Amino acid sequence: MRNAFVDELCRIARERKDVVLLTGDLGFSVLEKFAEEFPERYFNVGIAEQNMAGMAAGLALSGLTVVTYSIANFAIVRCLEQVRNDICYHGGAVIVVSVGTGVAYGSQGYTHHGIEDMAFTRVLPNMAVIAPGDPVETRHGLRALVERGGPGSLRLGRGGEPVLHDPETFRWTFGKAVPLIAPQSVTFLSTGVILGEVLAAADLLQRQGIAAGVLSMPSVEPLDVEAVIAAARHARLLITVEEHVREGGFGGAVAEIVAGLPAPRARLIRTGIARNTAKIVGDQAFLRRTNGIDAASLAALVEGEMAAFVAVENNT
Amino acid sequence: MNSCASPSDNRVDTADLARRIRKDVLRMVHRTRASHVGSCFSMADMMAVLYGRCLRIDPLHPDAADRDRVVVSKGHAAAAVYATLANRGFFPLEWLDHYTENGGLLAGHASHNVPGIELSTGSLGHGLSVGTGMALAARVQQSERRTFVVLSDGECDEGSIWEAALFAGHHGLDNLTVLVDYNKIQSFGRVADILRLEPFADKWRSFGWAVREVDGHDHAALAETLESLPLSAGQPGVLLCHTVKGKGVSFMEDQMVWHYKSPNDEQLAQALRELENAR
């Protein structure tokens, strides 16, 4: 995902002379490509994220398109007020790229878990929040944010994520959901790097004879409200999945829509990282499992819910 | 050395401009019972010299691409910023009568929704980073435009100021000039008692900046310095402007309470009288 990002950024920078990259002294083995090809548009600002965000605003207000880069929380949360006041309020073309979001740096501990950022970013003025599900969505998400102008958060994984779309045929309209498996009576709404687990869960369910739909929703803000409404009307059970706390992020955004719909509508279950649990060390796979967002846990959740539906129906 | 390029017919009597700024601020804070008159008065002369003589700006084209950029990071002194811009023709003077009014544009902290204001400020410690970005942008875009950032002394407590100072020093941004309104009083007491900045000039020097200490109320000294930028080729410059909080009104000078109070009718009359008599 990191490599897809930097390859696409280099491609964009070849087309557009206004693109500038700032890094908070991170990006070893990732950003060198850009730095070597565009030395006059590459600045390592040092380990100083507040200044990086403020400077990005100044560059953007001067007509440049700026990408800032750091890991997990450092690009967003460390400098949240600069992002809020200087970038978002002024509407500057700054794309804040966080790599290793979610629990990608799981065993590094809570300081490196990027699991609350969407609760902050999705309510900021003018801000688009894009959490791509694979390297293909990463390329399209970055390009769409650059073309849109204005502030954006691009929330990436760490590296080595599987390619889940055909890069040749994939097309994406900014802000729209990507249907991978058409909505069913059970439908997963997934955002970000957890998409691979969700597709694997759908596969497990398929083998149990349960058809589950999967929508990848890389755009958390703006949210594809029409797609959420259509899924909520069509399905009995909607499950949001994100590598982020269950409150305030993607599941929260979906819940805001679903709660306003008249019956009949799907029951909504939000899955994600539980708050206040990061006491035990664990890698990404372990933390996904313990938080119930690995493929097996998601499949088991659906089986349990389906059994409960059947039991209710048999009693009525 | 760059000299100020404002066409001479665009220059104004800066003493008169400073007086008008102070009188307008007084009326604004009196009417709305607003705070920060002391902070407005300590920087009124700096604003008058900048906007009256030195900046390459055109009030009729506030968005011109190669205008000089000004970031007033001490956004709580918005009344002085608005008064300066209105008196220089960026918007009609009568807008000042609607300062902080419901439904209006002139917020209590500087707002970029007002013509001539580059950045909304009010949370301290933001302006130097943004100004540094603007200065870097000018370098990337090979523009001659310059960036000026007005800081309060108290906001130099913020770590982000020194992050930006490191960057600008490292990159030798000599198109960036900071004016510190060094009135020695911050929100809740004297700077020297709350969080010592001295040796202040040495701090900036050690970050790679060229430093000039000036009397922030001496128009000739300010103009002379601002007309011979950069202070040092290849270095960002900082003017430590020694100022007096509440400058220009005897009973407000060097008094922390005028960070908060607004004048009553009697105080307003006396203050206006003093400003008029100072001619």
Side-chain angles (χ1 to χ4, degrees):
Chain A
M1 217 172 220
R2 289 181 304 196
N3 291 331
F5 155 74
V6 76
D7 287 346
E8 190 67 18
L9 185 63
C10 287
R11 203 168 295 141
I12 293 168
R14 276 176 220 124
E15 297 161 13
R16 295 176 58 135
K17 301 296 177 208
D18 64 328
V19 173
V20 173
L21 173 63
L22 307 182
T23 175
D25 201 33
L26 288 167
F28 175 70
S29 81
V30 179
L31 299 186
E32 289 86 347
K33 282 180 203 171
F34 188 98
E36 284 161 19
E37 191 173 346
F38 309 102
E40 72 292 349
R41 291 191 268 155
Y42 167 80
F43 301 95
N44 183 344
V45 304
I47 308 162
E49 295 82 8
Q50 292 184 78
N51 187 47
M52 177 163 72
M55 277 183 56
L59 288 155
L61 292 174
S62 306
L64 296 167
T65 294
V66 189
V67 174
T68 64
Y69 181 96
S70 192
I71 67 170
N73 297 304
F74 310 156
I76 287 272
V77 184
R78 176 59 178 256
C79 47
L80 185 59
E81 197 183 60
Q82 278 83 2
V83 172
R84 174 187 186 268
N85 293 7
D86 305 337
I87 297 173
C88 290
Y89 183 42
H90 293 80
V94 178
I95 299 160
V96 178
V97 177
S98 309
V99 288
T101 58
V103 290
Y105 293 109
S107 51
Q108 301 300 318
Y110 178 74
T111 57
H112 283 55
H113 295 176
I115 54 174
E116 299 99 357
D117 54 290
M118 289 195 289
F120 312 134
T121 52
R122 76 177 180 88
V123 297
L124 294 175
N126 304 309
M127 185 68 141
V129 179
I130 305 295
D134 84 329
V136 179
E137 289 187 15
T138 300
R139 288 176 184 275
H140 284 259
L142 175 63
R143 187 167 283 274
L145 283 171
V146 170
E147 285 169 4
R148 168 184 176 264
S153 163
L154 186 66
R155 191 176 186 273
L156 301 180
R158 190 176 174 186
E161 289 81 5
V163 173
L164 302 171
H165 302 285
D166 179 350
E168 300 304 320
T169 59
F170 185 79
R171 296 287 175 273
W172 186 55
T173 304
F174 178 76
K176 290 298 175 192
V178 180
L180 281 157
I181 304 173
Q184 309 288 325
S185 67
V186 178
T187 294
F188 288 106
L189 306 180
S190 173
T191 199
V193 291
I194 202 69
L195 181 59
E197 300 280 357
V198 175
L199 283 169
D203 197 44
L204 289 172
L205 289 165
Q206 180 75 37
R207 285 183 227 160
Q208 305 292 323
I210 300 172
V214 177
L215 294 188
S216 175
M217 302 191 69
S219 185
V220 173
E221 174 58 40
L223 190 69
D224 187 344
V225 173
E226 286 175 16
V228 170
I229 292 173
R233 293 217 183 286
H234 188 81
R236 300 173 68 174
L237 182 61
L238 277 188
I239 300 167
T240 59
V241 192
E242 61 198 303
E243 204 166 298
H244 184 275
V245 295
R246 295 163 192 159
E247 299 81 16
F250 172 61
V254 170
E256 287 165 15
I257 304 301
V258 173
L261 294 178
R265 64 178 191 221
R267 166 168 149 70
L268 174 67
I269 298 177
R270 292 175 288 111
T271 70
I273 306 290
R275 283 190 288 164
N276 308 320
T277 57
K279 289 175 184 143
I280 308 164
V281 177
D283 63 15
Q284 187 174 33
F286 175 88
L287 292 174
R288 284 179 174 180
R289 223 163 35 242
T290 53
N291 284 283
I293 52 172
D294 63 309
S297 302
L298 291 169
L301 171 70
V302 170
E303 287 175 50
E305 290 295 324
M306 296 304 281
F309 274 128
V310 172
V312 169
E313 276 172 9
N314 286 346
N315 285 339
T316 52
Chain B
M1 291 284 188
N2 288 322
S3 64
C4 286
S6 293
S8 55
D9 59 359
N10 193 29
R11 296 187 184 190
V12 299
D13 174 349
T14 60
D16 180 58
L17 177 56
R19 189 180 304 110
R20 281 186 286 145
I21 293 169
R22 287 193 171 92
K23 288 165 75 174
D24 283 336
V25 167
L26 269 177
R27 287 189 277 259
M28 290 159 77
V29 301
H30 169 259
R31 193 182 57 254
T32 58
R33 310 192 64 76
S35 299
H36 305 133
V37 61
S39 315
C40 290
F41 280 14
S42 60
M43 74 169 195
D45 297 300
M46 294 152 55
M47 294 296 281
V49 174
L50 269 176
Y51 280 87
R53 279 188 75 146
C54 292
L55 294 174
R56 299 166 188 159
I57 47 165
D58 179 356
L60 298 178
H61 301 96
D63 297 324
D66 278 331
R67 70 190 182 278
D68 283 343
R69 304 299 205 268
V70 181
V71 173
V72 178
S73 192
K74 43 173 292 186
H76 56 283
V81 181
Y82 300 146
T84 304
L85 293 170
N87 277 288
R88 291 298 281 128
F90 281 84
F91 52 84
L93 277 164
E94 59 255 31
W95 286 22
L96 300 181
D97 297 335
H98 304 287
Y99 171 61
T100 72
E101 206 170 84
N102 291 340
L105 278 180
L106 306 190
H109 288 84
S111 165
H112 71 285
N113 299 309
V114 176
I117 295 188
E118 304 285 353
L119 190 75
S120 287
T121 50
S123 176
L124 294 172
H126 285 237
L128 187 52
S129 293
V130 178
T132 300
M134 290 172 168
L136 182 66
R139 178 181 283 185
V140 170
Q141 295 166 325
Q142 300 180 318
S143 163
E144 292 289 309
R145 67 176 180 267
R146 305 163 308 166
T147 301
F148 296 84
V149 179
V150 179
L151 300 179
S152 74
D153 46 13
E155 77 171 311
C156 292
D157 295 355
E158 297 276 8
S160 52
I161 293 291
W162 301 103
E163 290 184 9
L166 271 177
F167 184 94
H170 179 93
H171 290 270
L173 295 177
D174 61 6
N175 57 357
L176 174 64
T177 303
V178 165
L179 295 90
V180 181
D181 180 4
Y182 196 9
N183 62 31
K184 324 289 189 298
I185 296 179
Q186 59 188 94
S187 180
F188 206 4
R190 298 213 169 255
V191 169
D193 296 332
I194 291 165
L195 209 51
R196 189 173 54 245
L197 292 171
E198 292 294 342
F200 202 20
D202 288 348
K203 285 187 174 66
W204 290 98
R205 274 190 207 102
S206 71
F207 278 64
W209 288 59
V211 182
R212 186 76 54 84
E213 300 202 50
V214 294
D215 175 345
H217 303 302
D218 181 337
H219 289 215
L222 284 168
E224 187 192 341
T225 308
L226 291 168
E227 285 175 355
S228 57
L229 296 175
L231 294 182
S232 165
Q235 285 186 292
V238 56
L239 277 62
L240 297 185
C241 300
H242 292 280
T243 56
V244 175
K245 197 164 186 118
K247 174 73 177 179
V249 173
S250 59
F251 59 88
M252 291 182 179
E253 288 191 357
D254 201 35
Q255 298 294 318
M256 186 185 76
V257 68
W258 290 100
H259 193 78
Y260 302 99
K261 272 183 73 169
S262 56
N264 60 28
D265 293 350
E266 193 182 322
Q267 288 166 327
L268 172 69
Q270 187 189 335
L272 289 171
R273 224 166 22 242
E274 286 190 23
L275 290 172
E276 213 35 58
N277 291 342
R279 273 180 194 276

